[in-house]
Amino acid sequence: MNSHLAPLLIIIPAAAASASLCVLLRPLLIRYALARPNARSSHTQPTPQGGGIAVLAGAFLTLILALLLLPFPTAERADLVWVMAAATALAAVGAWDDIRPLPAATRLVLQALCVGIVLFCAAPEFRLFPELMPLALERGLALIAGLWFVNLTNFMDGIDWITVAGIAPLAGALALAGASGALDPASGLLAAALFGGLIGFAPFNKPVARLFLGDVGSLPLGLLSAYLLYRLAGTGALTAALILPLYHVADSTITLFRRLARGEKVWEAHRSHFYQQATVNGFSVREIVTQVALLNLALIALAGFSIASRAFWHQLVCLGLAAVLTGLLLWHFARKRVRP
């Protein structure tokens, strides 16, 4: 079997494994990991969290089976093993935080260690800007970027289906990139397994959710997404890697700076994100996630065009259009909904 085609063949098994584990784990999570609503919650009923266990387990079990059956180079297998190990360790940190919240500093240090494992073990010789900056500086910036992506994915997991609407299209696009040869086959396989895992989880998280991801899911999903985007950028498709996660990055980053400007404790829970403002401004959860998903499909199209045409001006146009579309949706969410 052509290893480039493998991503398309493992999506359904990963989805089936994830959905089956959601069914099996939900009674246990109701007993031990029930998220009760508070003043900052978007949900109104106690809901079990920890669905991320099913997403990761379904994705990784399928991925391991594919690696055993398909002819991948030893180096690529080793990279994926390191990535899965780091994501599993980060899931453990998230599970700990779900059950007994960790101090912010401790949580950040543990997250940084997991991001460091990926950078220094799964991509030890991987460079994006070898001619522009020394290795130490690039690694430091990559560590900060990876740490921020881990946290922003967690911050953005605040309403039903929002992570599915944000991360599943990204993973699906990267799986297609792997199948088409625009991304290395191992990364494409990881993206497909991740996409399948999220699709299997989606029916349980649809509004009104019967199961939440929890930090056990959102944190490693952020790490895996950051790694895949890093690999995509390394193919020369930096513009596409910037475009694909733009809504999540823009909403979380703008919100962070706005909170810093107001002197708020940014490590504390809040309801300041644009998608959270939208729920107050008259948008239903389904409307919000539908519009986020549609934007992400448009971003995928722009990212795909930027990969197909490497002309400098085409890159700028694609990035500019992506920024405008993302800005319009943020502005739309920030305004009061006027209903007829």
Side-chain angles (χ1 to χ4, degrees), residues 276-294:
Q276 292 171 322
Q277 293 176 43
T279 63
V280 178
N281 288 338
F283 294 83
S284 71
V285 169
R286 286 180 181 269
E287 288 173 331
I288 295 166
V289 296
T290 297
Q291 291 177 49
V292 170
L294 289 173

Side-chain angles (χ1 to χ4, degrees), residues 126-311:
F126 197 77
R127 297 292 306 274
L128 292 184
F129 310 109
E131 298 177 358
L132 294 180
M133 62 184 69
L135 176 62
L137 178 58
E138 182 175 326
R139 284 286 187 260
L141 293 174
L143 181 65
I144 293 170
L147 191 56
W148 175 230
F149 209 93
V150 165
N151 281 281
L152 74 84
T153 306
N154 183 34
F155 297 157
M156 292 295 290
D157 187 41
I159 59 173
D160 303 339
W161 254 0
I162 188 72
T163 299
V164 173
I167 303 300
L170 183 153
L174 292 170
L176 285 175
S180 67
L183 184 64
D184 65 275
S187 296
L189 198 67
L190 173 60
L194 186 60
F195 178 71
L198 283 167
I199 294 303
F201 166 73
F204 301 89
N205 190 239
K206 71 177 182 179
V208 174
R210 293 180 291 146
L211 185 62
F212 294 154
L213 270 177
D215 288 3
V216 67
S218 60
L219 294 177
L221 284 178
L223 179 63
L224 294 171
S225 300
Y227 172 75
L228 289 169
L229 291 167
Y230 191 46
R231 300 293 302 197
L232 179 65
T235 68
L238 178 60
T239 301
L242 293 173
I243 289 173
L244 285 173
L246 193 54
Y247 175 77
H248 266 47
V249 171
D251 191 329
S252 55
T253 304
I254 293 171
T255 300
L256 174 70
F257 283 115
R258 290 168 67 183
R259 296 189 70 211
L260 284 171
R262 292 194 295 263
E264 297 179 16
K265 297 177 180 178
V266 296
W267 56 88
E268 292 183 350
H270 63 94
R271 286 181 52 79
S272 304
H273 287 287
F274 287 87
Y275 74 88
Q276 292 171 322
Q277 293 176 43
T279 63
V280 178
N281 288 338
F283 294 83
S284 71
V285 169
R286 286 180 181 269
E287 288 173 331
I288 295 166
V289 296
T290 297
Q291 291 177 49
V292 170
L294 289 173
L295 171 63
N296 281 323
L297 291 177
L299 295 180
I300 288 171
L302 289 170
F305 183 77
S306 75
I307 292 174
S309 175
R310 298 298 179 96

Side-chain angles (χ1 to χ4, degrees), residues 88-105:
T88 302
L90 193 53
V93 173
W96 187 356
D97 203 36
D98 282 334
I99 297 169
R100 182 175 297 177
L102 293 164

Side-chain angles (χ1 to χ4, degrees), residues 24-73:
L24 293 173
L25 289 173
R26 190 170 179 273
L28 190 65
L29 296 173
I30 290 174
R31 184 172 180 180
Y32 293 107
L34 203 62
R36 301 187 182 280
N38 56 47
R40 294 186 177 91
S41 301
S42 297
H43 64 290
T44 58
Q45 299 294 327
T47 306
Q49 59 185 347
I53 299 172
V55 174
L56 283 183
F60 285 175
L61 288 173
T62 308
L63 182 59
I64 290 168
L65 183 61
L67 288 176
L68 291 174
L69 296 176
L70 296 174
F72 277 92

